[in-house]
Amino acid sequence: MIWDKIIIGAGLYGLYAAKTCGDRGERVLVLEWEESPFQRATYINQARVHMGYHYPRSYATAIKSAHYFNRFVKDYDFCIHQEFDQIYATSDSFSWTNREQFTKFCKAADIPCEELVPEKYFNKGLCDGAYRTREYTYDAGILGHYFVDELKRKINVEMKYGVRIQAIEKQGKHFAVILENGETFETGFLLNATYGSTNQILDLAGIEPFKIKYELCEIILCKPQQQLLDVGITVMDGPFFSVMPFGKTGYHSLTAVAFTPHMSSFDSLPQFKCQEKSEGYCSPRQLGNCNDCQVRPQSAWPYMSTMAEKYLKADYSFSYAGSLFSMKPILKASEVDDSRPTVVRKASENPTFVSVLSGKINTVYDLDEVLKND
Amino acid sequence: MTEKRTNQSIAFDKEKNFVSAVIYVYNDEERIGEFLQKINTVLRTNFENYQIICVNDASEDNSLAVIREIGKTITGTVINVVNMSFYQGVELSMNAGIDLSIGDFVFEFDNLVMDYGADLMMEVYNRCLSGFDIVNAAPKKCGHKSSRLFYRVFNRYSHNPHPLRTENFRILSRRAINRVHSVSRTIPYRKAVYANCGLKIATIVYNNDLSCLKAYGKETRYQRKEMAADSLILFTNVAYKMTILAAVFMMIATFGIGIYTLFSYVFEDVVSGYTSMMLVIVFGFFGVFVILAVIIKYLSMLMELVFSKQKYTIESVETLSE
């Protein structure tokens, strides 16, 4: 049997594509390395539904985020946490943007921002501007359950977990995905929606890789104290930090630009020193899940919390609950403007091979165009 | 047996305070490696959490490469590098490093001359804990004649409660850093602002080895001279006194000349000598120029303080990790 579409990766982009095509009655197969969906980037990040505030140096990214924001919030409102004040602030030193520039930027990108007195949240002299903005956070757990339930009801969509792909071969008008256990699946349309492993899949198929660098990132989960409970804080955008609600979990996520990435790799396939110690669990050809890895890095909690404490007034305190690690691919072209464009790249047509690389959740609609069958 | 136990208890009973060490690096490829290792050893042994910030003042040699190399050998995200966009001298660079630091206590290393034992760092830290917001480590002997002269003039004309002297490194509490920043936005000469900040200051004088002394490069020498002139004007009244003195003297002189001219006009035949007239003119202009020079210096400093928004210009910040 030949599948209409095979999707590699059961993150949001993969499952959204599966649902979109499944709704149209297409026969869809989803292949996932992990034992369940949403185990990596969809779950392990700041869970921000981006409105664009994050990108004062890339108007294009900002405007696009704002554009999709309302649609995403409407479509997935059941997993969206919006009952909190999202505060953005510009740091007095080391920021690539300042108060005037940020105000101007919000106006240009047409996103709401109400200026506040920085001293309400921050220690004196550390931030030159503070703003109440409109930005939400999503709960990956709830979102995952929704997709699993939806897809279960479709007999034309099949999910396979714990999949080990050995090779991807082009055979005439089809791609054959060959697993280690000998199983083979064929399709005329292959979607690579794997984020951190995207170049590894491209490598299997013999397709030119994305020009990316890899960062092994840590997201800290923390328990907010009373005052911080209904507040999210992001200090932009040099070596700064963000502490904001993590979906509806009751936790806050804590990240700091200088301390969130633990290691970097500039190789086309991600190469890290710790891989040697992982006893085959993780390699440049197949990334393991750092959260299950015995040699995962030590937490940077002392650094991130001290940095946040330096900025935040003592009322807005929090305590350590745990750490999550994930691999982040960053387009090398984004180093200067810090933009996070969603790249949808079609490597071949008939049979079709499409890769998607995105750092944001609400640009998932970018897939619509490429999933069309015409 | 007892000794072993104390050693162990030291090893496990590390300081809970987060400390930052800010190091100024400018063309120091020969010294920085060893220096970083030494500092790191002291901090690693004594503190649970610490960071080392190297401020690379646009070094033209391999300093940055050496720092990166050392970064690989130190586990954790300990070392940060601030790369200045272009050479800005020790003061602005150190300000950048201190702004980036997150520690409860911050060590400042202006130069990489380690003419003291590494345990002096802890001595300075412990003195700080005993109730001083700023503790300096000062060498007993200072090699540079020019700096001795500078401090003598500075201390004579400034009304600082704490006379300045040559110092090698110091520690600041977070409270001191906050205070200093609330006192003035731009900090052109840290030492003078620190001495004026009104918090408790202590100085530990140690016996140093003069042979470690570092010769300054041409650019650094120039920068130090500028710095000395600027801080004499900003933090002392020596220039003000000089100008006032010159102005008063000129006034009296001019007045005297006026009287003499009148007198000779009335009582003597006017045989005005060309030479004496010229002398007066030259002398007068000389005085005016002295005053002008000082005024111009003042103005240029005011310009800088008022118009430059950025305290310093950085190119990038990087975190090195193993």
Side-chain angles (χ1 to χ4, degrees):
Chain A
M1 192 203 77
I2 290 166
W3 298 87
D4 289 328
K5 292 205 166 73
I6 291 182
I7 295 160
I8 305 173
L12 178 76
Y13 279 69
L15 296 197
Y16 174 83
K19 184 175 175 299
T20 307
C21 299
D23 285 342
R24 293 199 294 250
E26 294 175 27
R27 303 245 329 134
V28 180
L29 175 66
V30 180
L31 303 176
E32 169 59 49
W33 194 85
E34 300 274 358
E35 294 300 333
S36 51
F38 284 21
Q39 288 303 297
R40 301 209 183 175
T42 303
Y43 167 51
I44 303 160
N45 63 55
Q46 292 174 328
R48 231 182 255 275
V49 186
H50 276 279
M51 181 69 145
Y53 297 104
H54 232 51
Y55 306 101
R57 285 175 286 137
S58 173
Y59 281 29
T61 311
I63 289 166
K64 189 147 204 183
S65 300
H67 176 63
Y68 283 140
F69 179 83
N70 290 329
R71 183 166 168 197
F72 191 88
V73 170
K74 194 166 146 265
D75 287 355
Y76 305 103
D77 66 318
F78 53 87
C79 75
I80 306 267
H81 176 35
Q82 42 181 280
E83 303 301 311
F84 66 97
D85 283 337
Q86 181 73 305
I87 308 299
Y88 271 77
T90 47
S91 177
D92 191 58
S93 43
F94 295 107
S95 185
W96 302 116
T97 191
N98 65 23
R99 181 174 160 260
E100 291 88 3
Q101 286 158 1
F102 189 75
T103 316
K104 208 178 128 213
F105 151 77
C106 285
K107 225 174 159 185
D110 198 21
I111 47 183
C113 91
E114 173 199 344
E115 188 154 5
L116 307 170
V117 185
E119 274 75 35
K120 179 164 174 4
Y121 297 98
F122 304 100
N123 288 324
K124 206 165 166 268
L126 287 169
C127 292
D128 67 343
Y131 311 86
R132 184 181 290 120
T133 60
R134 197 159 71 90
E135 201 173 69
Y136 306 142
T137 146
Y138 69 91
D139 193 305
I142 301 173
L143 190 60
H145 278 297
Y146 164 78
F147 274 104
V148 168
D149 289 345
E150 285 284 311
L151 295 174
K152 244 187 216 157
R153 277 192 247 135
K154 296 186 199 316
I155 46 164
N156 53 330
V157 177
E158 195 174 323
M159 311 282 302
K160 278 194 179 298
Y161 296 109
V163 167
R164 302 291 181 264
I165 299 174
Q166 192 173 43
I168 298 172
E169 285 171 11
K170 192 171 172 178
Q171 298 174 345
K173 293 210 156 198
H174 298 118
F175 279 110
V177 180
I178 303 155
L179 307 192
E180 275 175 14
N181 62 13
E183 276 185 278
T184 302
F185 306 103
E186 287 183 297
T187 182
F189 190 116
L190 192 61
L191 175 68
N192 170 19
T194 52
Y195 197 57
S197 300
T198 193
N199 274 358
Q200 299 168 323
I201 297 295
L202 289 169
D203 186 53
L204 282 178
I207 294 169
E208 196 199 335
F210 281 105
K211 285 189 178 55
I212 45 183
K213 70 163 185 174
Y214 297 85
E215 283 181 350
L216 202 175
C217 291
E218 179 187 10
I219 305 280
I220 287 176
L221 296 184
C222 54
K223 204 82 199 148
Q225 305 302 315
Q226 202 55 40
Q227 292 271 54
L228 189 64
L229 215 52
D230 302 319
V231 181
I233 286 168
T234 301
V235 178
M236 311 205 304
D237 65 342
F240 305 118
F241 75 99
S242 167
V243 54
M244 61 180 283
F246 189 60
K248 296 185 177 186
T249 58
Y251 292 114
H252 269 41
S253 65
L254 171 66
T255 55
V257 180
F259 304 114
T260 291
H262 279 255
M263 302 169 206
S264 306
S265 166
F266 293 86
D267 305 295
S268 171
L269 294 180
Q271 195 143 18
F272 291 92
K273 265 192 194 159
C274 53
Q275 285 167 335
E276 294 155 24
K277 291 178 239 158
S278 76
E279 293 170 4
Y281 176 66
C282 180
S283 71
R285 296 185 58 79
Q286 175 59 56
L287 287 171
N289 186 331
C290 301
N291 296 298
D292 303 330
C293 185
Q294 53 178 343
V295 289
R296 68 184 208 159
Q298 253 194 341
S299 172
W301 160 257
Y303 294 93
M304 292 205 221
S305 58
T306 311
M307 164 145 244
E309 276 163 17
K310 175 183 159 186
Y311 276 87
L312 287 176
K313 286 182 105 170
D315 307 345
Y316 297 94
S317 62
F318 49 87
S319 56
Y320 183 77
S323 297
L324 298 171
F325 291 90
S326 82
M327 190 61 69
K328 210 177 192 180
I330 295 169
L331 283 172
K332 283 180 180 161
S334 302
E335 287 281 280
V336 168
D337 63 1
D338 201 31
S339 66
R340 292 288 178 270
T342 302
V343 183
V344 180
R345 216 174 66 185
K346 202 180 260 188
S348 77
E349 210 153 349
N350 217 1
T352 308
F353 192 112
V354 177
S355 295
V356 57
L357 187 68
S358 172
K360 275 184 311 296
I361 211 78
N362 41 327
T363 41
V364 66
Y365 302 111
D366 273 356
L367 279 180
D368 291 346
E369 187 64 27
V370 79
L371 293 175
K372 272 187 208 156
N373 286 320
D374 40 35
Chain B
M1 191 65 203
T2 357
E3 204 183 300
K4 216 173 189 176
R5 199 171 289 158
T6 18
N7 273 342
Q8 254 181 11
S9 79
I10 287 169
F12 288 109
D13 204 19
K14 291 185 180 178
E15 288 291 325
K16 299 283 181 286
N17 285 322
F18 195 119
V19 296
S20 305
V22 182
I23 303 169
Y24 176 72
V25 183
Y26 176 62
N27 291 347
D28 281 306
E29 60 182 4
E30 275 147 42
R31 292 169 187 262
I32 182 67
E34 197 191 338
F35 189 81
L36 269 180
Q37 299 280 22
K38 278 186 187 165
I39 298 280
N40 184 56
T41 309
V42 174
L43 297 176
R44 175 139 296 185
T45 330
N46 293 290
F47 294 92
E48 222 161 68
N49 300 301
Y50 64 96
Q51 63 171 176
I52 298 173
I53 297 172
C54 296
V55 189
N56 171 26
D57 195 6
S59 296
E60 285 142 10
D61 64 353
N62 284 321
S63 299
L64 187 58
V66 177
I67 297 171
R68 286 194 179 132
E69 227 21 70
I70 298 282
K72 282 185 197 156
T73 65
I74 296 173
T75 50
T77 43
V78 169
I79 300 186
N80 283 276
V81 182
V82 180
N83 290 308
M84 304 301 283
S85 304
F86 43 86
Y87 178 75
Q88 284 163 68
V90 63
E91 293 298 324
L92 297 189
S93 304
M94 287 302 280
N95 286 339
I98 290 157
D99 280 351
L100 187 74
S101 72
I102 57 176
D104 308 315
F105 295 88
V106 179
F107 281 104
E108 276 185 8
F109 296 96
D110 289 18
N111 64 61
L112 303 175
V113 180
M114 219 176 187
D115 56 357
Y116 47 86
D119 49 342
L120 184 65
M121 275 174 70
M122 289 315 289
E123 201 183 315
V124 165
Y125 170 77
N126 287 325
R127 177 72 67 89
C128 189
L129 288 190
S130 74
F132 295 92
D133 283 274
I134 299 172
V135 181
N136 301 303
K140 207 167 191 177
K141 299 174 278 233
C142 169
H144 296 286
K145 259 188 201 146
S146 52
S147 36
R148 281 203 301 258
L149 176 69
F150 166 75
Y151 288 124
R152 202 174 304 147
V153 176
F154 190 100
N155 291 329
R156 171 136 166 50
Y157 289 99
S158 75
H159 300 287
N160 248 332
H162 301 276
L164 303 191
R165 56 171 297 157
T166 299
E167 290 156 8
N168 198 318
F169 71 97
R170 70 183 64 80
I171 194 169
L172 306 167
S173 65
R174 179 58 55 187
R175 192 167 73 160
I177 294 173
N178 290 344
R179 166 66 69 87
V180 163
H181 278 94
S182 63
V183 169
S184 61
R185 178 172 162 78
T186 32
I187 302 173
Y189 185 45
R190 282 168 301 140
K191 261 175 154 176
V193 181
Y194 291 166
N196 264 321
C197 79
L199 294 169
K200 275 175 95 177
I201 299 178
T203 301
I204 297 177
V205 179
Y206 64 92
N207 232 329
N208 59 321
D209 174 6
L210 270 182
S211 63
C212 300
L213 215 66
K214 182 162 88 168
Y216 293 112
K218 204 174 134 199
E219 254 177 336
T220 313
R221 280 205 306 272
Y222 173 74
Q223 191 94 27
R224 283 172 66 90
K225 267 184 219 149
E226 281 286 291
M227 189 70 243
D230 285 2
S231 47
L232 281 176
I233 286 193
L234 266 184
F235 296 103
T236 73
N237 54 10
V238 67
Y240 172 73
K241 274 198 171 154
M242 268 171 51
T243 356
I244 284 290
L245 211 72
V248 168
F249 181 73
M250 302 266 301
M251 253 162 57
I252 295 169
T254 324
F255 191 66
I257 293 165
I259 294 196
Y260 171 74
T261 318
L262 273 176
F263 180 83
S264 52
Y265 181 74
V266 176
F267 297 102
E268 291 172 22
D269 286 341
V270 188
V271 200
S272 49
Y274 173 75
T275 346
S276 60
M277 184 57 105
M278 277 313 283
L279 270 176
V280 170
I281 291 172
V282 166
F283 179 70
F285 271 105
F286 173 75
V288 171
F289 287 145
V290 167
I291 295 169
L292 271 181
V294 175
I295 290 174
I296 288 165
K297 184 72 197 165
Y298 261 111
L299 281 179
S300 72
M301 284 187 60
L302 282 176
M303 275 270 288
E304 224 162 89
L305 291 179
V306 172
F307 286 105
S308 63
K309 261 192 186 170
Q310 291 283 337
K311 293 176 269 187
Y312 38 76
T313 319
I314 62 147
E315 181 189 288
S316 63
V317 176
E318 42 186 308
T319 307
L320 305 180
S321 49
E322 96 281 26

